Amino acid sequence: MRVMLTGATGGIGSALAVALLSDGHAVLLQGRNAQRLDDLHSVVSGGDCATVTGDINVEADRECIVEAAQNFGVDTLCNNAAINEFGAFSDTAIAPLINTNLTATLLLTQAMLPVILAKATPRLVFIGSAFGAIGFPGYSVYCASKFALRGFSEAIAREYADTSLQVHHIAPRATSTAMNDKRVNALNAELGTVTETPQIVAAQVLKALKENRARLQLGPLQSLQTRLNGIAPGVVDRALREKLPIIKKHFKESANV
């Protein structure tokens, strides 16, 4: 594969870059911060790797990103770029989350489709979340963006089912990255939430691609919860209702890491 990886300098992104290159794939690393991209590139040097600096939220930057992908011969777009915010919905900034996690991702995918469809084995990869299948208090807007991304990945796979395009939606469970502020870490600890390392997530993503898995929810408990939420959401409602005082308690703590 010749992969364009968005959000490459994040926790999962960096781990994915290492995993893909170690497996012999070529990777074009995309991110907003040129210095962080250069630092990552120096860490993974030795493989077929290049960088492109730009913000997927900015139209002119997206055009440069697509041009770089064409020049790199990209056949796989891995949509990994995302941001998160934990807290009460009334205090959540809606536009940044929806713009980055959904709107810009769809616009980039739309612009990239002609590039990858010209290749023999085109792929779209979406790094989703368990919160793309389970609405969770404190993550209302993040859930909205990830639910929508999951729906889009399913729809686009069905729309292009008569082509060679392969579409993968892979949903990690809680992962230890810089997106988690100290409130999230404290909440996960109090709830006993199992937290994955980015390296384990990256290995599972690579495995899913090798096995051509169209959909994958990481974590056996999260897989069960996802199915349960689909067939008996009231059970999940009651379970989260019991945890609500704990969750809301962490809303009020300082978000400083």
Side-chain angles (χ1 to χ4, degrees), residues 94-119:
I94 296 172
L97 279 165
I98 297 299
N99 289 343
T100 298
N101 297 2
L102 184 61
T103 306
T105 295
L106 266 61
L107 287 169
L108 180 63
T109 300
Q110 188 176 60
M112 280 293 300
L113 269 173
V115 176
I116 64 173
L117 286 172
K119 306 300 180 182

Side-chain angles (χ1 to χ4, degrees), residues 30-131:
Q30 178 276 331
R32 293 177 296 178
N33 188 300
Q35 184 58 59
R36 291 180 65 186
L37 279 174
D38 288 343
D39 292 344
L40 177 59
H41 188 263
S42 66
V43 170
V44 299
S45 61
D48 189 350
C49 182
T51 65
V52 55
T53 304
D55 187 340
I56 65 171
N57 289 286
V58 178
E59 183 177 2
D61 286 10
R62 285 197 303 272
E63 292 174 356
C64 293
I65 291 166
V66 172
E67 182 179 0
Q70 288 176 315
N71 294 336
F72 195 72
V74 165
D75 58 21
T76 300
L77 170 60
C78 183
N79 284 300
N80 170 70
I83 59 174
N84 196 1
E85 183 175 345
F86 170 72
F89 172 65
S90 58
D91 298 328
T92 301
I94 296 172
L97 279 165
I98 297 299
N99 289 343
T100 298
N101 297 2
L102 184 61
T103 306
T105 295
L106 266 61
L107 287 169
L108 180 63
T109 300
Q110 188 176 60
M112 280 293 300
L113 269 173
V115 176
I116 64 173
L117 286 172
K119 306 300 180 182
T121 55
R123 290 178 186 258
L124 284 175
V125 183
F126 297 92
I127 305 302
S129 167
F131 289 165

Side-chain angles (χ1 to χ4, degrees), residues 222-238:
Q222 287 70 25
S223 297
L224 175 61
Q225 289 172 334
T226 295
R227 292 194 295 271
L228 185 61
N229 195 55
I231 61 175
V235 175
V236 181
D237 290 345
R238 290 189 290 275

Side-chain angles (χ1 to χ4, degrees), residues 62-245:
R62 285 197 303 272
E63 292 174 356
C64 293
I65 291 166
V66 172
E67 182 179 0
Q70 288 176 315
N71 294 336
F72 195 72
V74 165
D75 58 21
T76 300
L77 170 60
C78 183
N79 284 300
N80 170 70
I83 59 174
N84 196 1
E85 183 175 345
F86 170 72
F89 172 65
S90 58
D91 298 328
T92 301
I94 296 172
L97 279 165
I98 297 299
N99 289 343
T100 298
N101 297 2
L102 184 61
T103 306
T105 295
L106 266 61
L107 287 169
L108 180 63
T109 300
Q110 188 176 60
M112 280 293 300
L113 269 173
V115 176
I116 64 173
L117 286 172
K119 306 300 180 182
T121 55
R123 290 178 186 258
L124 284 175
V125 183
F126 297 92
I127 305 302
S129 167
F131 289 165
I134 299 174
F136 200 93
Y139 293 96
S140 54
V141 181
Y142 181 74
C143 286
S145 69
K146 289 298 187 178
F147 264 76
L149 189 68
R150 179 169 62 92
F152 171 70
S153 70
E154 187 173 274
I156 204 72
R158 292 168 177 170
E159 184 172 333
Y160 283 83
D162 56 352
T163 75
S164 59
L165 181 66
Q166 298 176 34
V167 180
H168 309 266
H169 180 271
I170 301 164
R173 57 181 172 179
T175 308
S176 300
T177 73
M179 284 209 310
N180 299 335
D181 61 31
K182 74 175 188 179
R183 296 174 303 157
V184 173
N185 292 330
L187 174 63
N188 286 339
E190 187 165 356
L191 293 179
T193 303
V194 176
T195 304
E196 213 76 89
T197 67
Q199 290 72 27
I200 290 176
V201 172
Q204 290 298 311
V205 169
L206 194 58
K207 184 172 183 287
L209 296 181
K210 288 181 177 180
E211 295 175 352
N212 199 26
R213 298 279 299 273
R215 302 173 180 86
L216 180 62
Q217 171 59 62
L218 302 183
L221 177 59
Q222 287 70 25
S223 297
L224 175 61
Q225 289 172 334
T226 295
R227 292 194 295 271
L228 185 61
N229 195 55
I231 61 175
V235 175
V236 181
D237 290 345
R238 290 189 290 275
L240 289 177
R241 176 66 180 85
E242 292 177 0
K243 297 176 180 178
L244 197 55

